[in-house]
Every structure is written in structure tokens, then in C-alpha cells.
């Protein structure tokens, strides 16, 4: 809107942000209540979450390049919704390329489905509430609490003009580009196509063996019991401790996960190969599975940001 209406007043440039945030708050209230009632049915598979994250990351990548204006051919293009989706939302023809209050409302509403760790943590909290009102209040208050930051950015943009606005867009484009790369790596983690953990220092020596387990086990971070292998792990705000285990093939594994910080996307735990996909409850959560092949079983949060693995040996 700002680029297409350079002569607009700051108040006019700020109006789109108001509609965007209004759509966001209303949708978070309604959809927060719905997912609280849906409960477990709201969960998407790791592959589906990964594909959504990769699609969003790809769109962000193009938008970031466009904002920097480093590549004129890319900047000349327009990123718009597929026509079938835009028509279903009541957006027809050229309206998908021009600003309208309705489009701003819909755009804000759709942010509920973006793969954001903060939003997912609150969605997990809403799902576990089991009440429409509780879920609606949790998500709408979260939207209200984050609105000042979004409106603050909108206010800054509304006051800028000329070269200052161009420089701001370029800075924003560079930031969006970096976030796009992060989203793409998280999406790849969720699909299982590979694992790239950007949450850990790149100087970490991942080839070094983790500390040994108790004396009754030659496996890393695993205790041997009566016909069972016991793996204990803490889920904290920034991931999992420990995040590496060695287990034997063909023997049942009892995975005990102590959730210490529920309001983190790390509390949505996924081990796709063993069919485990759960919202952790505060305290100890137990899962059992039997690995029948050697290799690596990878687990992660629902965003693909925090990862870990089981190494299955003979």
C-alpha cells in the first residue's frame, strides 16, 4: 500500500496495519476456541507441517529478495495467492494485487496457520485447555499482547518516506531472507529429508561421543532394565537434554520425557518413525516403542527447530 500510494498521509498508511491486526485478533479468538474443542484432532503430521513450513519459507525467500531490490527481475514479479484460494476467500481478479481492507483482515486471520514457535506454544496451551472459551481467550490475549509490537513496526513504516523508506524495506528484506532460510531448514527437519539444527552453535563438535550412561549400560544415555531400555530426557524451553541416545535393535524402549517448560514449541514432541506425536504434559510423559532396524530415529519439536536422535545399534 505504501509503495503504490506514496502521497498517502501517515494515518492512511497506518490504516492497513489496524485492519491486519483486527483480523488477527478476531481469528485467534474464534480459531483458538475451535482447536481447544478439536483437541488431538488438530494435530498435523510431521510431513504435512514440514511441507507447510517449506512453502512458507519459499514465499518468504522470494519476498525478501523483492524487498532488497537486488534482483530487478525478481522484484518485478508479484507473489499472490493461487486463484482458487483467492476466489474462495472472496478475492477476485486484480484485488489480490491491490490493497483492500478485506484482504488485510483475511491476511491477519491467516497468520494463525503460520509455523511460528511462539504461536505454536500458545496453540498447544489452548488445545490442552479443552474449553472453547479458555482456548479462545488464550489465543486472543496472545494476539492482543503481540499487537503493539506489530503496530509499532507499522507506525515506523507509516512515518517514513523517500530514501528512508527504501532503506527500511531493504533492511526488512534482508531480515525476511534470513528468516526464510531458518524456516526452510526447520521444514526439512520435519519432513525427515535431513536435519539441520540452527539452534546450536556451529562450533559444536557433533562427532564427539556424548557422555556414557550408568555403569549397567554400554549405551549412551540409556539404562538397561528388565527387558527394556530406559531413556530419560528433559524438555526445556530451548530444546531437549540430552538429545542423543543409543539403543539396541529389537528391544523395547521406554522413553521418559520430563516436561519442565510447557510454553515452548519444544513441548510438541514428534518421533515420526515410531508414530509418536504428542503435546507434552507438565511432568513426566512416557512413551514406548521397539526399533526393529538399525539406523537413526530422529525426533524434533513441531516446528523442526529443536532436534535430537536415537541411534539404533545391533
Amino acid at each position: 500500500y505504501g509503495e503504490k500510494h506514496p502521497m498517502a498521509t501517515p494515518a492512511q498508511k497506518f490504516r492497513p496495519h489496524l485492519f491486519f491486526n483486527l483480523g488477527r485478533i478476531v481469528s485467534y479468538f474464534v480459531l483458538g476456541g475451535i482447536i481447544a474443542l478439536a483437541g488431538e484432532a488438530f494435530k498435523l503430521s510431521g510431513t504435512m507441517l514440514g511441507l507447510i513450513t517449506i512453502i512458507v519459507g519459499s514465499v518468504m525467500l522470494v519476498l525478501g529478495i523483492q524487498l532488497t531490490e537486488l534482483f530487478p527481475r525478481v522484484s518485478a514479479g508479484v507473489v499472490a495467492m493461487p486463484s482458487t484460494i483467492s476466489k474462495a476467500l472472496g478475492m477476485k481478479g486484480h484485488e489480490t494485487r491491490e490493497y483492500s481492507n478485506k484482504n488485510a483482515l483475511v491476511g491477519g486471520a491467516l497468520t494463525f496457520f503460520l509455523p511460528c514457535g511462539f504461536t505454536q506454544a500458545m496453540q498447544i496451551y489452548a488445545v490442552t485447555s479443552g474449553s472453547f472459551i479458555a482456548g479462545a481467550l488464550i489465543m486472543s490475549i496472545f494476539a492482543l499482547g503481540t499487537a503493539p509490537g506489530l503496530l509499532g513496526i507499522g507506525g515506523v513504516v507509516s512515518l517514513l518516506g523517500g530514501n528512508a523508506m527504501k532503506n527500511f524495506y531493504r533492511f526488512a528484506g534482508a531480515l525476511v531472507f534470513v528468516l526464510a532460510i531458518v524456516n526452510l531448514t526447520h521444514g526439512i527437519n520435519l519432513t525427515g529429508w535431513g536435519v539441520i539444527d540452527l539452534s546450536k552453535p556451529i562450533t559444536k563438535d557433533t562427532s564427539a561421543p556424548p557422555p556414557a550412561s550408568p555403569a549397567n549400560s554400554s549405551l549412551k544415555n540409556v539404562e538397561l532394565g528388565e527387558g527394556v531400555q530406559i531413556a530419560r530426557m528433559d524438555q526445556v524451553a530451548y530444546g531437549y537434554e540430552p538429545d542423543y541416545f543409543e539403543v539396541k535393535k529389537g528391544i523395547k524402549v521406554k522413553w521418559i520425557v520430563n516436561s519442565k517448560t510447557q510454553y515452548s514449541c519444544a513441548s510438541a514432541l514428534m518421533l515420526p518413525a515410531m508414530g509418536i506425536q504428542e503435546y507434552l504434559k507438565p511432568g513426566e510423559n512416557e512413551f514406548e516403542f521397539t526399533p526393529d532396524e538399525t539406523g537413526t530415529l530422529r525426533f524434533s519439536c513441531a516446528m523442526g527447530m529443536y532436534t535430537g536422535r536415537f541411534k539404533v545399534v545391533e
Side-chain angles (χ1 to χ4, degrees), residues 35 117-127 135 138-139 142 263-264:
I35 65 171
F118 298 115
T119 305
Q120 284 183 346
M122 291 300 100
Q123 287 172 343
I124 292 167
Y125 185 29
V127 165
I138 288 167
M139 294 309 302
F142 168 73
Y263 309 128
S264 162

Side-chain angles (χ1 to χ4, degrees), residues 171-185:
F171 170 77
L175 186 60
V176 170
F177 183 88
V178 171
L179 293 175
I181 298 299
V182 172
N183 261 342
L184 288 171
T185 58

Side-chain angles (χ1 to χ4, degrees), residues 265-285:
C265 66
S267 62
L269 182 62
M270 309 178 73
L271 178 58
M274 294 291 107
I276 295 174
Q277 182 177 345
E278 292 292 333
Y279 298 130
L280 300 177
K281 298 176 181 178
E284 290 193 348
N285 300 257

Side-chain angles (χ1 to χ4, degrees), residues 12-309:
Q12 289 173 329
K13 290 180 181 179
F14 188 66
R15 189 179 300 125
H17 301 280
L18 293 174
F19 280 98
F20 178 86
N21 279 276
L22 177 62
R24 188 168 173 268
I25 293 166
V26 172
S27 75
Y28 277 45
F29 180 87
V30 175
L31 295 174
I34 290 174
I35 65 171
L37 293 179
E40 296 292 304
F42 175 68
K43 293 189 300 187
L44 296 175
S45 69
T47 301
M48 182 59 67
L49 281 171
L51 289 174
I52 292 173
T53 306
I54 289 171
I55 291 170
V56 170
S58 300
V59 173
M60 289 175 65
L61 198 65
V62 175
L63 289 174
I65 293 173
Q66 287 183 333
L67 285 169
T68 59
E69 297 183 340
L70 292 176
F71 301 94
R73 288 187 178 181
V74 178
S75 299
V78 175
V79 178
M81 289 185 185
S83 58
T84 52
I85 298 177
S86 61
K87 287 179 180 178
L89 295 173
M91 304 175 181
K92 297 179 181 179
H94 69 281
E95 290 179 1
T96 56
R97 299 189 179 188
E98 179 57 274
Y99 170 79
S100 75
N101 294 341
K102 180 180 179 180
N103 290 1
L105 283 167
V106 173
L110 291 176
T111 61
F112 187 87
F113 300 101
L114 290 178
C116 163
F118 298 115
T119 305
Q120 284 183 346
M122 291 300 100
Q123 287 172 343
I124 292 167
Y125 185 29
V127 165
T128 56
S129 71
S131 160
F132 180 91
I133 295 299
L137 289 175
I138 288 167
M139 294 309 302
S140 59
I141 290 172
F142 168 73
L144 279 169
T146 51
L150 295 175
L151 288 171
I153 295 173
V156 170
V157 176
S158 301
L159 294 172
L160 296 177
N163 290 332
M165 178 174 283
K166 287 184 179 180
N167 290 333
F168 180 85
Y169 282 145
R170 287 168 182 161
F171 170 77
L175 186 60
V176 170
F177 183 88
V178 171
L179 293 175
I181 298 299
V182 172
N183 261 342
L184 288 171
T185 58
H186 293 170
I188 291 170
N189 289 347
L190 286 169
T191 59
W193 297 340
V195 172
I196 308 170
D197 196 345
L198 298 182
S199 67
K200 296 177 181 178
I202 59 174
T203 55
K204 180 178 178 180
D205 182 10
T206 54
S207 63
S213 282
N216 67 338
S217 170
S218 60
L219 304 172
K220 301 297 186 295
N221 297 324
V222 170
E223 304 172 34
L224 296 180
E226 290 290 334
V228 66
Q229 307 174 88
I230 303 172
R232 298 181 183 274
M233 182 179 81
D234 288 338
Q235 175 262 308
V236 293
Y238 48 85
Y240 309 108
E241 296 177 342
D243 59 4
Y244 175 88
F245 303 91
E246 283 185 5
V247 295
K248 291 183 179 180
K249 168 187 163 185
I251 301 176
K252 182 189 292 184
V253 176
K254 180 183 286 187
W255 190 16
I256 302 175
V257 184
N258 184 20
S259 179
K260 294 184 174 182
T261 307
Q262 193 180 19
Y263 309 128
S264 162
C265 66
S267 62
L269 182 62
M270 309 178 73
L271 178 58
M274 294 291 107
I276 295 174
Q277 182 177 345
E278 292 292 333
Y279 298 130
L280 300 177
K281 298 176 181 178
E284 290 193 348
N285 300 257
E286 290 191 11
F287 308 100
E288 292 186 353
F289 63 92
T290 304
D292 54 7
E293 293 182 359
T294 58
T296 301
L297 302 175
R298 304 188 187 279
F299 59 88
S300 73
C301 67
M303 195 179 171
M305 179 165 59
Y306 304 118
T307 62
R309 67 191 192 278

